[in-house]
Amino acid sequence: MNQDQVQGSVKDAIGNIQEQAGKLIGSQDQQVQGLHKQVEGRAQKVVGDLKALKKDLVGQ
């Protein structure tokens, strides 16, 4: 795994926790912020996946 894949997965997990915490305390703002972090994390992970794919293809 490369740095983007790891950081993206961490952001996604943190966003999920934040969203769930927002639901628990009834904070719509926290839920939205959590969803935003999840989207950022997933996008960053896709970038990392593409970098890894490129590296694999160039290495062959």
Side-chain angles (χ1 to χ4, degrees):
M1 290 186 92
N2 62 38
Q3 186 175 359
D4 284 314
Q5 289 170 315
V6 172
Q7 288 180 345
S9 294
V10 170
K11 279 183 188 177
D12 185 23
I14 290 171
N16 189 23
I17 292 168
Q18 186 174 9
E19 179 191 7
Q20 296 306 317
K23 286 180 182 178
L24 185 65
I25 63 173
S27 173
Q28 193 172 33
D29 185 51
Q30 288 297 315
Q31 291 177 45
V32 170
Q33 288 180 19
L35 287 170
H36 185 259
K37 281 184 185 173
Q38 288 178 58
V39 170
E40 282 182 355
R42 289 175 187 168
Q44 187 172 7
K45 186 176 180 309
V46 168
V47 168
D49 291 343
L50 291 172
K51 286 180 180 178
L53 179 62
K54 177 184 172 191
K55 184 177 178 181
D56 289 345
L57 291 175
V58 171
Q60 291 179 351

